[in-house]
Amino acid sequence: MNYEQLNELSIFALRELARRTGVYSPTSKKKDELINDILDILEGRKEPHVAKTRQGRPPKNYGYTFADVLYHTPTQQAYQGPVLSQNVPTFKYETNGLISGYVEIVSPVSACLWVRENTAFNCIYIPNSLVNMYGLKTGDFIHAHLEQEEGQTIVGSISNINNCPIKKYEKNKRLDYSDIRHILPSKLIHFDKTEYEELDIKLGESVYIYGNDNNCNTSTIINMLNSSSATKKIYINTVLAEKNKIYLDDINGAVELFTSCVTDTSENAQHVVNLAIERAKRILERGDDVIIAVDDVKSVIGIDNDDMSLTKNLMSVTKDGENAGSITLFAIMPMDKSASLFEKLADKKFKIVEHKLYLL
């Protein structure tokens, strides 16, 4: 691969490739440094780093080598264990079975289907021919039939993309989030509960919620999400632990969960948040209204890089699209100044006092 091809990869993909190539401390390097180090090792100008101890983050197993993904030559058995979470039972896929998941475009020549199993995601390879045929994007939700190719389970065919049957799907008529004009929010979000209905929250607004009790914060934002009238809903939580998984039982089954465990690596958590952001964009493009509930922003900042690019993308994704859908943000905000950068983006701010919301 050359510099231009590597530059098209996400920072997450580059770090994984760098780690497997033998680049020393890839998480501490910027994108151009990673690319140069990878090329130096691949072209023999530098020796790959070999760790002398067991310290450091172990490489993740995606079910195929990362080079296989980049070069579109899968050869290994499909991975059967959890990928974006830990301590989750393994499961197997049946060949020719129908399965649903989220698309991620890994590179210009490869893609993955991320399938949720409880609080984890597992990965299945998507041939590039299907990506090109349907113009797939990261965040697309598809129903797919599986096949076996050279001993590996892969996506063989697609029957539905973003709730559109494949026979009615027209890739050339897809809208793009970046091309959709934002208009001033005017349509109210309706809630089943009177206490939220009176808050006067509109589709396409950024709503910040402050509270001192983490458990109360979680239950409040989940209740708001469940009670809202939006056609699509997303819940983000990057610090799941055994003691707070119980709150997931209260989430309405129609809500799409993007979660990672507190024991996961920062890169895995970043991956989950980025997938949720792109998923919301795809929903807006289809003309639907989606609410993203972030529980909480300080946790996202904690797994982000120094430039806070992921958190910035998340907090600025809100939009009421002209002739399209909308993205509304419900965000649990820290009481300290760690998220002060985003205060100006708030359309409404509320404080939780004894399980009730009061306008700030």
Side-chain angles (χ1 to χ4, degrees), residues 25-289:
S25 188
T27 55
S28 66
K29 298 179 184 293
K30 295 181 179 179
K31 190 170 185 178
D32 58 342
E33 292 178 296
L34 287 173
I35 294 173
N36 290 328
D37 285 352
I38 290 169
L39 291 175
D40 284 344
I41 292 172
L42 292 177
E43 294 172 9
R45 292 187 293 272
K46 223 184 237 187
E47 290 295 322
H49 171 72
V50 178
K52 296 181 180 180
T53 71
R54 292 182 178 271
Q55 295 177 347
R57 186 180 297 123
K60 299 185 288 291
N61 183 356
Y62 286 84
Y64 39 79
T65 67
F66 208 76
D68 286 340
V69 175
L70 295 175
Y71 294 108
H72 191 43
T73 55
T75 57
Q76 299 186 2
Q77 293 286 335
Y79 177 50
Q80 301 297 338
V83 174
L84 298 184
S85 189
Q86 299 176 1
N87 303 319
V88 179
T90 60
F91 67 107
K92 295 182 179 180
Y93 304 112
E94 295 182 1
T95 304
N96 298 322
L98 182 64
I99 202 161
S100 303
Y102 301 99
V103 173
E104 180 190 27
I105 308 302
V106 180
S107 78
V109 293
S110 63
C112 299
L113 180 66
W114 293 102
V115 181
R116 170 167 285 283
E117 176 71 2
N118 298 320
T119 57
F121 281 102
N122 280 18
C123 180
I124 303 173
Y125 179 79
I126 304 176
N128 196 47
S129 57
L130 292 178
V131 176
N132 293 332
M133 182 184 299
Y134 299 115
L136 297 179
K137 299 180 181 180
T138 297
D140 281 338
F141 185 76
I142 68 173
H143 299 282
H145 293 273
L146 305 181
E147 294 180 357
Q148 286 284 327
E149 182 179 287
E150 298 180 358
Q152 182 183 20
T153 302
I154 67 170
V155 172
S157 62
I158 298 173
S159 60
N160 188 294
I161 302 175
N162 296 325
N163 296 323
C164 179
I166 209 66
K167 291 183 178 178
K168 297 182 179 180
Y169 177 79
E170 299 178 86
K171 72 173 184 179
N172 294 329
K173 291 187 177 181
R174 293 191 64 159
L175 300 178
D176 188 270
Y177 170 87
S178 59
D179 295 331
I180 296 172
R181 179 174 173 266
H182 173 69
I183 58 177
L184 290 176
S186 59
K187 294 177 289 184
L188 285 173
I189 299 177
H190 295 292
F191 294 90
D192 295 337
K193 296 184 177 181
T194 305
E195 59 186 296
Y196 302 138
E197 184 76 10
E198 295 174 347
L199 299 179
D200 192 38
I201 300 173
K202 298 181 179 65
L203 292 169
E205 288 188 328
S206 293
V207 179
Y208 292 180
I209 303 167
Y210 302 81
N212 289 313
D213 186 318
N214 290 330
N215 293 331
C216 182
N217 294 347
T218 294
S219 60
T220 298
I221 201 168
I222 288 175
N223 286 336
M224 290 181 67
L225 197 61
N226 287 339
S227 177
S228 69
S229 62
T231 54
K232 302 289 183 179
K233 305 171 187 182
I234 288 173
Y235 174 79
I236 298 174
N237 188 329
T238 63
V239 287
L240 277 184
E242 290 303 318
K243 72 173 187 177
N244 61 7
K245 285 182 180 178
I246 189 172
Y247 289 102
L248 299 185
D249 296 336
D250 298 328
I251 296 179
N252 187 293
V255 178
E256 299 180 42
L257 302 180
F258 289 85
T259 60
S260 62
C261 293
V262 67
T263 53
D264 289 350
T265 65
S266 293
E267 286 179 285
N268 279 358
Q270 290 170 355
H271 182 105
V272 170
V273 175
N274 184 65
L275 197 58
I277 294 169
E278 294 304 311
R279 174 62 185 149
K281 292 178 181 179
R282 304 293 86 80
I283 292 173
L284 176 146
E285 292 166 355
R286 282 279 297 164
D288 291 322
D289 300 315

Side-chain angles (χ1 to χ4, degrees), residues 296-328:
D296 58 4
V297 172
K298 191 169 185 176
S299 298
V300 178
I301 294 173
I303 56 95
D304 207 348
N305 299 312
D306 292 339
D307 62 358
M308 293 179 62
S309 57
L310 183 67
T311 312
K312 291 175 183 177
N313 287 338
L314 175 61
M315 301 302 287
S316 63
V317 75
T318 309
K319 178 179 283 191
D320 189 6
E322 185 177 36
N323 301 319
S326 65
I327 300 175
T328 306

